[in-house]
Amino acid sequence: MCLPVLIWFFSQVSDVAHGLLFILSFIDVLGLNCPQLVKLSINSCPGVTDAGVQSLCLGQTQKLQFISLQDSGASEQSAVYLFRTFPGLKELEIDNNINGVLRVIEEDIMKGKVDSKFGIRKLHWDTSFSLYSNISFIMDHCPNVTDITCHGVISADVLKSIACIKTLKKLNLSYSHGYIGHHNLKDFVDFLKEVGNQLTDLYLSDTRLMPVREIGCYCSKLKHLTMICDSSLTRAQAVQASDQLVHPSSFKTLETMVLFDNYVIASEDTISYLLCQAENIRSLSLQKCRALTEEALNSAYAVHGFKHLQSFKMGHCDTFYDQDFLEKLLENENELTVMHLHSCFNITFVHSDELQLCLEEGENWDIDYDWKWNALSASVQSN
């Protein structure tokens, strides 16, 4: 029997005992009957344990290159099993997989295999677990790493370790809730000076440390920027090294921008500068942004007209009132095909009739707008 090369499997089982038995049996079937399997995703399944992963490794699935076990019952030991069995594995989505690959490398060295190589491209590092070997040592055996996600305390030592990854392109810094604000601006700016020119993707989550101008100045190849902060953690203003730092190429390559629940960037000038510089932006998502104003968006429109914009999403932006800006996006020449407005009651509640008339005159729109106050929602699609 040969199942499809690509398999996505999600399971949420209410009967735990029967669920565990089914999942283990399912993994056994995969291991024995799917020699062509390349990609496997089993997420949110606590029944996927180290024993199940070991069973998979003993089977016939020798072509696996992409595995996701997020929020499962698999531990670091599963990472060891998988790296040992599939050295060409390109992606393994499991918490702290960096310790798993490190253990396998050290085992190889003890066996005299000093030149072993692994194909992994993305590393996950829970920084509450100290690496007892330098990360540059890991890179000698994992030359294809381009993507790293760090969760926990992002100290100067952690940043120095990340800087050793000379192939780094995508960086995700997700700060643990217990450590909010425990990091140094100078360390982060020095880090950006050293590696910023390598980055195409930058994701910052749950931190006050979002120096927008410094990111623009030192990350000259950045294409995707996401900055998220849970407003229940802090409403302090984002730490900025400079309010005046300007570089002519800042954010010129940016294609995707997400500012979500971002109460920490409280400077209207900072948001305006970011939008005005992003002349090639294709996807813009602004959710719960305190500092977002119609002046910022109109200033950016005057600079570059959002001519390449394909998707515009805005939600819970209570300081934004300008229906005219939305009409300009809809009426003027650009690449816009998606607009979502969610709970922006200053627009959708007050001006819904006028806005709907503009939407109906558009072409190829995927429009969704709604608001909570009167439980009314509407969707307009025309081609």
Side-chain angles (χ1 to χ4, degrees):
M1 179 175 63
C2 181
L3 292 180
V5 171
L6 175 61
I7 291 183
W8 293 90
F9 178 73
F10 300 86
S11 176
Q12 294 181 344
V13 183
S14 56
D15 187 330
V16 176
H18 287 87
L20 292 176
L21 180 61
F22 169 74
I23 292 170
L24 289 174
S25 299
F26 178 78
I27 293 176
D28 286 339
V29 170
L30 286 179
L32 293 173
N33 297 282
C34 302
Q36 302 300 318
L37 192 64
V38 174
K39 189 169 186 177
L40 175 64
S41 178
I42 309 179
N43 295 327
S44 301
C45 292
V48 178
T49 63
D50 295 336
V53 173
Q54 186 177 28
S55 174
L56 181 68
C57 292
L58 294 173
Q60 304 298 316
T61 54
Q62 298 304 307
K63 295 185 178 181
L64 272 172
Q65 295 185 11
F66 307 91
I67 302 175
S68 180
L69 300 173
Q70 293 282 31
D71 300 319
S72 70
S75 71
E76 178 186 311
Q77 184 60 46
S78 287
V80 173
Y81 290 146
L82 291 165
F83 284 125
R84 169 62 61 214
T85 307
F86 312 111
L89 194 65
K90 294 180 180 179
E91 291 186 16
L92 172 57
E93 296 289 342
I94 187 172
D95 291 341
N96 210 32
N97 69 8
I98 196 170
N99 271 353
V101 73
L102 178 58
R103 283 176 55 185
V104 175
I105 291 170
E106 292 180 335
E107 289 172 6
D108 278 353
I109 291 175
M110 291 180 65
K111 295 175 183 177
K113 301 178 182 178
V114 295
D115 296 323
S116 59
K117 301 294 182 183
F118 298 86
I120 193 69
R121 299 186 303 198
K122 183 176 182 179
L123 294 175
H124 294 260
W125 180 13
D126 182 344
T127 61
S128 62
F129 296 91
S130 298
L131 292 178
Y132 43 90
S133 294
N134 193 293
I135 201 168
S136 61
F137 167 75
I138 299 175
M139 293 305 101
D140 291 340
H141 298 267
C142 303
N144 300 320
V145 170
T146 59
D147 188 339
I148 186 165
T149 293
C150 292
H151 180 75
V153 179
I154 313 299
S155 64
D157 288 339
V158 169
L159 293 173
K160 288 177 182 177
S161 294
I162 298 172
C164 294
I165 307 176
K166 301 307 180 184
T167 53
L168 183 65
K169 293 183 178 180
K170 301 179 181 181
L171 177 62
N172 181 327
L173 299 180
S174 297
Y175 295 75
S176 294
H177 288 195
Y179 304 108
I180 189 72
H182 288 220
H183 36 260
N184 183 277
L185 174 64
K186 183 180 183 300
D187 292 336
F188 187 58
V189 172
D190 288 344
F191 169 77
L192 290 177
K193 290 178 181 179
E194 183 174 358
V195 306
N197 196 44
Q198 300 173 209
L199 299 178
T200 61
D201 295 57
L202 180 60
Y203 182 106
L204 299 175
S205 175
D206 293 340
T207 171
R208 291 194 307 117
L209 196 59
M210 296 183 182
V212 173
R213 292 177 180 268
E214 290 70 31
I215 292 170
C217 183
Y218 302 119
C219 301
S220 60
K221 299 177 182 177
L222 199 64
K223 292 185 177 181
H224 309 286
L225 175 63
T226 297
M227 295 189 287
I228 299 174
C229 192
D230 186 341
S231 59
S232 66
L233 297 177
T234 176
R235 289 176 179 263
Q237 183 173 347
V239 178
Q240 304 291 320
S242 171
D243 290 330
Q244 305 299 324
L245 184 63
V246 175
H247 193 281
S249 63
S250 292
F251 303 113
K252 296 298 186 182
T253 59
L254 201 63
E255 297 178 3
T256 302
M257 186 195 312
V258 178
L259 303 181
F260 184 84
D261 208 8
N262 207 316
Y263 288 96
V264 298
I265 301 181
S267 168
E268 295 179 6
D269 289 341
T270 297
I271 295 294
S272 180
Y273 172 77
L274 177 56
L275 292 171
C276 287
Q277 288 293 111
E279 61 184 32
N280 291 302
I281 197 74
R282 296 180 180 276
S283 177
L284 179 60
S285 180
L286 305 168
Q287 309 289 328
K288 296 185 181 179
C289 295
R290 175 195 298 176
L292 177 68
T293 64
E294 55 263 35
E295 288 82 3
L297 284 168
N298 279 308
S299 294
Y301 191 91
V303 172
H304 51 69
F306 292 99
K307 292 181 180 179
H308 303 288
L309 190 65
Q310 298 173 356
S311 174
F312 179 74
K313 298 180 181 180
M314 185 167 62
H316 299 275
C317 294
D318 300 340
T319 59
F320 185 83
Y321 291 85
D322 192 356
Q323 180 197 359
D324 292 339
F325 171 77
L326 300 176
E327 292 180 359
K328 283 191 292 188
L329 283 184
L330 293 170
E331 293 172 354
N332 292 351
E333 183 176 348
N334 53 39
E335 301 178 16
L336 189 67
T337 57
V338 176
M339 179 185 284
H340 288 178
L341 305 178
H342 177 71
S343 295
C344 295
F345 58 90
N346 290 327
I347 295 297
T348 55
F349 185 74
V350 177
H351 302 295
S352 60
D353 292 338
E354 295 89 338
L355 182 60
Q356 186 171 355
L357 290 175
C358 293
L359 302 181
E360 290 175 342
E361 295 173 357
E363 295 180 358
N364 194 31
W365 304 120
D366 179 8
I367 312 282
D368 177 36
Y369 61 95
D370 62 89
W371 52 92
K372 296 178 180 178
W373 299 103
N374 59 0
L376 178 64
S377 65
S379 179
V380 179
Q381 294 185 353
S382 65
N383 293 288

